[in-house]
Structure formats: structure tokens, C-alpha cells
Amino acid sequence: MLFSRLRRLRARRLLLLWLLLLAAWEAGSGQLHYSVSEEAKHGTFVGRIAQDLGLELAELVPRLFRVASKDRGDLLEVNLQNGILFVNSRIDREELCGRSVECSIHLEVIVDRPLQVFHVEVKVKDINDNPPVFKGPEQRIFIPENRQLDSRFPLEGAVDADIGANSLLTYTLSPTDYFSLKVETTDELSKSLSLELRKSLDREETPELQLLLTATDGGKPELEGAVRLQITVLDVNDNAPLFDQTIYRAQLVESTVNGTLVTTLNATDADEGVNGEVVFSFGNDVSLDIQEKFNVDSISGEIRVVGDLDYEKTKSYEIQIKAVDKGSPSMSNHCKVLVKVLDINDNAPDLAITSLSLPIKEDAPLNTVIALIKVSDIDSGVNGQVTCSLNPHLPFKLVSTFKNYYSLVLDSALDRETTADYKVVVTAQDGGSPSLWATASVSVEVADVNDNAPAFAQPEYTVFVKENNPPGAHIFTVSAVDADAQENALVSYSLVERRVGERLLSSYVSVHAESGKVFALQPLDHEELELLQFQVSARDAGVPALGSNVTLQVFVLDENDNAPTLLGPHTGSAVSELVSRTVGAGHVVTKVRAVDADSGYNAWLSYELQPPTGGARSPFRVGLYTGEISTTRSLDEVDVPRQRLLVLVKDHGEPMLTATATVLVSLVESSPIQKASLPVLTGAVGSQASLVDVNVYLIIAICAVSSLLVLTLLLYTALRCSATPTNGACAPGKPMLVCSSAVGSWSYSQQRRQRVCSGEGPPKTDLMAFSPGLSPGLNIAERSEHPEVNSDLSGNPRQPNPDWRYSASLRAGMHSSVHLEEAGILRAGPGGPDQQWPTVSSATPEPEAGEVSPPVGAGVNSNSWTFKYGPGNPKQSGPGELPDKFIIPGSPAIISIRQEPANNQIDKSDFITFGKKEETKKKKKKKKGNKTQEKKEKGNSTTDNSDQ
């Protein structure tokens, strides 16, 4: 007994080792194999599938462990608690696989995170649960009594639904002296049964025989079935038909058309007459399916195809044919026709796509599994071998995971903004000739990720806003586009906060977060803020959020909201001036100075002398643009001794704003003219003039004229010396003349390299801009023919383009020392057209003085300046020539011009400078002049007292 136990233990160890090797081989092949017997009870253990797949029990539920099967999916189930595969419902191998030798249930085990697919094959083992079954409970056999010994009579065998040893049948016949049972095995593994006559029959002695035929299978336990054989002994016709062969064989392709001849049967009967006439027909056990596919001619014995053959349904047919003579009783014989169906490529592949990971994010890593694809072809051989492919130019590829199983994976990077979805067409093609194919499509949608920042159409915008806008006015709208989708494309706008001077940017403007509209929160003032530059940020709603900035340059355009402001002693009360009656025409009495805080047209001032009351003609006039009050003629006795002059200063804005200066002019008989700003004391001046003697005035006049002459000579000499040009006077800086074109763009004049600088010191870097918005005018010849163009100063000048700008210091200098003539003559280059421009000219009364006319236009070249000398100066410049220097009236500055050769490689732009330094020097000189004038008045007062 001990020896037998050791043998059992060793056998168990060998069995365990064999099972381990089998499991290792299955794991290496990528498929698990289990087996289960059919008819197993519910809950029968099949295998530890989770353990064999290498999965932990705790991760089955989180990873969505599931089992799918193309076959009956409810036959097997997995317990997610212990990972055991068990029988869920009754398994009938015969119902599942029929007569097939191999019977398996194919399972697909799918888990997520990450996506994995396992293939499991469960083999269903056959048990002996089906007994042999005959077609009917009884078989009737008619045998003539004259049949010879060893004659055989075919019998219908039994059918066992099981397979293998369970379907191997053995037959036994109940004991009898007349017959023996003969069993023959053919090469198709089918058995032919027949009764062999062992003893001559005598119908008179034994008209009928009843035998029992029993079929027993090879299973354990053995099952059996039985059929009764009812044998009737016939008389007379003792020769049955005989076939020339017992088995006929034929091969047909499944595409054989109806009417095709399969074979021709040949049977003969030794009898004569009607007993020898043979009729062919199907045997009694021929199925209805065979009768629908084939037809046998009863006379000729030809078997033809009458139905459609399908290799995939039935690969071969076994047809029982019976030949019966016409004797009475008739005699018959049987043969078998075996028809083999040949396969052709008549079935296209079948595709099944299971989408598992859709949509896919555009930043998904390569080799991400998108879908599972299963292909099949029911043809055989090369006709059933299928290959899969994708339509070209797609970022996907197919990876074979198992036989006839593919995975659709990501092959290259995705970009939703380029392609939002893909139509993937999978083509399955078999290896037949000609080959057949099938296609299936799946739409792969690409999910968006926030990988695009909002983008503006341009990096910078220029906005023009008029000053004094209402609070909350909409000035601009920014718009950014985000190429992403949904919340990743929702753009919100905000200001990039910074300080503008001492205030925050958000106190000036705001931006609507959704629409991008920019609003001015308060009225803008051009005089306070000409340019407001800031940034607007656009950010999307993605995670993480992306953004970009755009720069806005808001130019505050000037409006005429500032009236002219009087400078010097004219601010406040009236100013008194003494004028001798002996002065001639053109004598300058005084000068009214004013400045306007606006710019451009709004700061372009003109002066107008209001006509006196009563309609009397005034002997005084005021310069239209200089503000200089001068005499129009010589004064005489009839002129009123005290005249009140009202000078109206107005700008050119819309609406026009004005200021009024009052000048009280007293005409005295004495020659010396004392210019001093005195209070208005009309009564006192009148009483004092009546007490002064005429001789005293003559002495004072002689002394004043002598002193004035000496002072003028000294001042002129000093100015000439200070105006001597030096090489380094214009060295520092690169000031240039910048001009605005008609369309508002800026250009630099570099055609003629000239430098215009002040003789008082280094050049200033103030920017002076001119506008070319003037129409062509008269040329020099036409001007000489029409002198009224030069002499008429009361007409309205041509207005320059409102876009030209001056700085504050430039405006103060220009309106104090420079005036624009109504019709200046600007000649272009040789042969070019003449242009009519406002000119900057001298207002000196000396006849030899000249005037220089710089163009108020786009660029200054060598032929763009016109210098006009007075009629008393014989020197006249030719075309393109410039004087060495000239004097701007009302200013102690001497403007010098130095021309450099055209081939000079140093780029020096043309410039003319006006600045606050000149104005400061003028004020200092004016104060110094006032002090000198006060000393002179004190001296005159002393002289008057001494004369009295």
C-alpha cells in the first residue's frame, strides 16, 4: 500500500509540473486556454482568470474588468471578488458547435487604465450525453424468396450527436438463422450496414421476420438505441438491379450553376421484361436539403445540380440512390454518391470596430489605443487570409495584436486647430483571386487642449481721439482670436496697469472684459496729455490660461478750447504809448504779443485793429501776424492827440476764440519818442503837456534822437559780432525738419543737407512740423505782374493743413518773432512748378533787409528756399542760392545758414530751431530795455524840470 501511495504522489507532482509548463506556454503565446465539460452545473469552476492574466483582485473593478464574447456571452462569467471564471448557464456542445470536432468558446477580456485586451479560449469537452438515434422506430425490408445466399440488404444506421469515442457505434442484431449483420467502414469514416442472407428463404414457411438492431456508442457509460427490422419475404421476381459501382464520387465548385451534371448512375437487372426495367430515386434516408440541391433522373440515372451550393455551409454531400425494378414484387438495390464542394473566394471579409477611447485629446502620446478592430472571412485557405490597411495621410496606424485582431493607435502628433476630426477608413482584403475587400469607417474626433494663446490682428494700434470727450466715450475696440475651442477660446480683456505721471492708467481708460471695447473714463486734455500709450491683455479661459498683449497709442487731437493769452504789459489794463507827430509812415509804435495753448490751426494767431468809433480813419495799423502796431502815414495836426487802439487777437479754430488788447497812444509835438508803459492818466498828461514849453521839447527831442542813434549803432554792432558763425555752433545733436504728408505719414527731408542754427548759441532740439496741404500758387513772374498779391496784407491767408503741430516753446517764439505772409512764393527745382506757401519772412523796416521763405511742406531741398531782398538792396540770390544769415524780426537772434556739399557722407537733416532759451533771452533783454527806458525817463524828467 505504501508503494502505491508513493506512485500516486509522484504522479501528482508530474501532473502539476505539466500544468505549470502548459500555463507558461499559454502565457508566452498571449492566450489563455481552459477547458470545461458540457452540461456542467451552474457555478462550476473553470479557471483563476485574474491570477493567470497577472491582474490583482483589487484592480478588477477600478479598471472596469469585463468579458465579451462573439458567441453566447452568458455561458461563462467572472466573479470580480475572487477573479474566478465559472459556468453561468447550461453549455450544450452539440448546440454550440454541432458535429465539429473542435469546440471552443472565445472570450475577450478588456481592462482599462491602461487599455489592455486578453484573449481566452475555453474548450468545451464532450460527454456522452446523446444516445444513438435511428431515423425511425422501424425499418421495413422486402426480400424475395428466391434471393440467393450471401445477398445483402442495406440498413439505415443510427446517428450519435456526440463526437470522438462517444460517437463510435457498434451494432448488434438479435439472434436469427437467416441473417447476419455486416458492417463496412468507408474512407469517409462512415459505416455501411447490411443484412446478409445466410439461409434460403421460403415465403410459405416464413413469410415475415422481426429482428432487433441495436446501436451502442463508445462512451462511458454506454448509451444505446434500437430499431425494429420488419422483413417481408416476397415471391417471384428474384433478380434485383445491380450498380456498376457501389460508391460514386464527384467534385463541384460552390459556384456551380443549376443544371450542371454531377454524375450518371448505371444499374442493370438480370430479369427480363418489366422485371428488368430499373427506376432510379433517392433513398429513403436522403434529407430534404439534398433533395433541394440535387435531382436524379429516374430513367437515365443522371444527377444534376438544382440548388445553390455553399461551401461555407456544407462542404460535402452523401447521397443514397435506390434502383428499383418494375417487377412484382419489385426488387431494389442501393449505391452511394459522395459530392465534395470546392471553395471559391465568394465571401468578402467582415469588419467589426469597437471604439474605446473617443474623443482623443490633441496632446495624446504616441501609440495611444483608439479603437479595436476584428476581421474575419468565412472562406478557407488563402481566400480566408485577411490583411488590413488604412487610408493614407492619417496620423494613425494599425497594430496586429492577435490573429485577425488589430488595434488602431496614434502614429503622429495631433493638432485640433489644423484638423478637428478624422474619418478613418479601414480596408480588409483577402488573399483570393480576384481578391475581395470590405471597408468600415470610424470618425475620430480630436478634443481640444489649451495650446494657443489669443492673437491680435496686429501688434500695435493707433487711435485718434478728440480732446474734451464725454466721460465713458467708446474710443476703440480690440479683438483677439483664439484658435482653440469652447472655453479655451473664450477671450477676456484687461488693462496692463501702469502709472501715467502721478495717476494710474485705470483712471484714464477702461476695457470691457468681454467685448474688448476701450472707454475713456474722463475727458482728455490735449494740452495735458498728447499721447497715451498703454497695453491691453487678452487671456483665454483655458487651464492654464494663455494670453498676449497689444499696444494702443491714443493720440489726443487738439480742439480750440483755449483763447489767446496776451503776454507782457498787455495783460490786464491798457498800455499807454507816446508817439511824436513827426514820425513817418511805418514807424513801429509797440508790439502786441500773444500765445495760444492750443496747437496747429487752433494756435495760429492773427491780429486785427478794430476801427475807431465815429468812422474816422486811424493812422495806425497792426501787423496781421506780427502784432506790431505801426503808422500808416505821417502824422499831422488834425490827428486826435489821444487815440484808443483796440487790437483783436484771434485764432483760426472752430469756433474762433479771441482776446483784446487796449493801447492808448498819445501824440506829442516833441521829436523824441519815449516808449514806456504808463498807467492811463489822460487828465494828468493833458495838463502836463500844456505847461511844457516848445523849446524844452526841442532840446529833449535832439538829445533823445542822438542817444537813440548811438544806442542803435552799439546794439547793431553787438548783434553782428554775436552772429559770427562758428564751426561748433551747430555740432551737438541732430535736429531735423519733420514734415507731415497729405496722408498723415511722417517723412524726413534728406535731399539737401542744410543746417540752420541760431547765432545765440547751440541749436535747440525742438521739433518743427509743417503741412503740405496748400494749393499751387503764383510764380515769381506772375507776382511781379500782380503786385497786389504782395501788398494786400488784409486778405485771408491760405490755411495750412490742420495736422501740423508746434511745441509750446516754438509757438511762443513764432508768435513773438515770426509771421506768415499771405502769399509767399516758393519755387521748386529748375524747371519745376512754383508753389504758393506761407513763408517765414523778416519784418524789419530797413529797405535793404530781405526775407527768407522756408517751405511749410514735405522736405526742404536746395531749391526749396526763396530769399527776397528789399528794394534798396541790389544783391539778389539766384535759383538755389541762400544768404549767409538773416534776422527774424522781433528777436535778437540772427539765423545763419551753412550749406554742406551734396557728397558729404554725414547725414544731417535740415532744421530750424526755436525754443524757450530764445524767449528767456528776449525777456531778459526786454527787462534790461525797460530799465534803460526808466533811466531815460528819469533823465528826461530831470531835463524837463530844469527847463521849467
Side-chain angles (χ1 to χ4, degrees), residues 376-550:
S376 61
D377 194 323
I378 59 177
D379 290 326
S380 62
V382 294
N383 296 331
Q385 295 178 0
V386 182
T387 57
C388 287
S389 62
L390 296 177
N391 49 322
H393 310 298
L394 290 179
F396 309 104
K397 66 179 179 179
L398 288 176
V399 177
S400 178
T401 57
F402 193 69
K403 181 181 179 181
N404 293 336
Y405 285 87
Y406 295 87
S407 294
L408 180 65
V409 300
L410 184 62
D411 187 43
S412 60
L414 300 176
D415 186 5
R416 191 206 63 82
E417 289 70 36
T418 302
T419 306
D421 56 72
Y422 295 89
K423 184 178 182 181
V424 181
V425 179
V426 182
T427 303
Q429 186 174 8
D430 60 26
S433 180
S435 63
L436 300 178
W437 65 87
T439 60
S441 62
V442 58
S443 181
V444 179
E445 181 181 356
V446 181
D448 183 53
V449 297
N450 193 25
D451 57 348
N452 291 278
F456 291 93
Q458 57 191 68
E460 184 177 286
Y461 293 95
T462 301
V463 183
F464 296 93
V465 180
K466 290 185 178 181
E467 65 174 333
N468 301 322
N469 57 282
H474 171 230
I475 61 175
F476 194 68
T477 300
V478 294
S479 178
V481 179
D482 197 313
D484 293 322
Q486 297 177 356
E487 66 274 1
N488 295 332
L490 295 177
V491 181
S492 60
Y493 304 91
S494 62
L495 286 177
V496 179
E497 188 63 88
R498 69 179 185 88
R499 299 193 69 86
V500 180
E502 298 180 355
R503 300 170 59 183
L504 293 177
L505 174 64
S506 56
S507 64
Y508 287 96
V509 292
S510 68
V511 61
H512 193 272
E514 296 180 0
S515 63
K517 291 184 177 180
V518 181
F519 300 94
L521 299 180
Q522 63 180 13
L524 300 178
D525 189 355
H526 173 79
E527 289 72 35
E528 177 186 347
L529 185 66
E530 295 185 6
L531 171 63
L532 179 61
Q533 182 171 329
F534 58 93
Q535 287 186 331
V536 176
S537 174
R539 299 185 69 83
D540 56 31
V543 177
L546 301 178
S548 61
N549 295 343
V550 66

Side-chain angles (χ1 to χ4, degrees), residues 790-819:
N790 297 327
S791 59
D792 185 8
L793 299 178
S794 61
N796 293 328
R798 292 187 177 269
Q799 299 178 351
N801 190 296
D803 288 342
W804 63 294
R805 299 286 181 265
Y806 299 98
S807 65
S809 61
L810 178 59
R811 293 197 301 269
M814 290 183 63
H815 288 290
S816 63
S817 59
V818 180
H819 73 274

Side-chain angles (χ1 to χ4, degrees), residues 547-784:
S548 61
N549 295 343
V550 66
T551 300
L552 265 68
Q553 289 187 339
V554 179
F555 287 91
V556 182
L557 302 180
D558 183 53
E559 287 190 336
N560 195 25
D561 57 347
N562 291 280
T565 303
L566 298 173
L567 301 178
H570 299 283
T571 59
S573 60
V575 176
S576 295
E577 298 289 345
L578 296 179
V579 179
S580 175
R581 291 181 180 272
T582 61
V583 298
H587 175 77
V588 177
V589 178
T590 185
K591 184 171 185 177
V592 178
R593 292 183 175 89
V595 68
D596 196 314
D598 295 321
S599 60
Y601 256 136
N602 299 329
W604 185 19
L605 302 182
S606 60
Y607 302 86
E608 180 181 339
L609 186 62
Q610 295 292 82
T613 58
R617 182 177 178 83
S618 175
F620 300 97
R621 70 172 181 178
V622 64
L624 180 61
Y625 299 111
T626 61
E628 292 181 348
I629 299 176
S630 59
T631 57
T632 59
R633 56 181 174 79
S634 299
L635 300 178
D636 50 28
E637 296 297 331
V638 297
D639 292 324
V640 179
R642 288 184 297 277
Q643 297 193 19
R644 182 185 180 89
L645 303 180
L646 294 179
V647 179
L648 181 65
V649 183
K650 56 184 179 180
D651 55 27
H652 289 73
E654 289 293 339
M656 181 184 298
L657 301 180
T658 61
T660 303
T662 303
V663 179
L664 299 179
V665 178
S666 298
L667 304 182
V668 296
E669 297 298 332
S670 58
S671 296
I673 302 172
Q674 299 177 356
K675 294 185 179 181
S677 299
L678 299 175
V680 182
L681 300 174
T682 306
V685 172
S687 60
Q688 184 178 0
S690 61
L691 298 175
V692 177
D693 189 11
V694 176
N695 294 329
V696 175
Y697 282 110
L698 291 176
I699 296 173
I700 295 174
I702 293 172
C703 294
V705 169
S706 301
S707 301
L708 183 61
L709 178 61
V710 174
L711 182 60
T712 301
L713 292 176
L714 293 176
L715 181 60
Y716 178 74
T717 303
L719 291 177
R720 292 287 291 178
C721 293
S722 63
T724 303
T726 58
N727 293 333
C730 301
K734 292 183 66 179
M736 59 187 65
L737 180 64
V738 182
C739 304
S740 172
S741 66
V743 295
S745 62
W746 297 95
S747 61
Y748 298 91
S749 173
Q750 294 182 355
Q751 298 179 5
R752 176 77 173 183
R753 297 177 176 87
Q754 297 178 347
R755 303 184 68 186
V756 182
C757 60
S758 171
E760 294 181 352
K764 313 304 182 300
T765 57
D766 291 343
L767 181 65
M768 182 174 183
F770 295 98
S771 171
L774 298 175
S775 60
L778 301 174
N779 55 25
I780 296 177
E782 293 172 344
R783 182 178 178 179
S784 61

Side-chain angles (χ1 to χ4, degrees), residues 234-246:
L234 302 177
D235 196 19
V236 229
N237 191 14
D238 55 348
N239 289 293
L242 295 177
F243 289 96
D244 58 355
Q245 59 188 58
T246 58

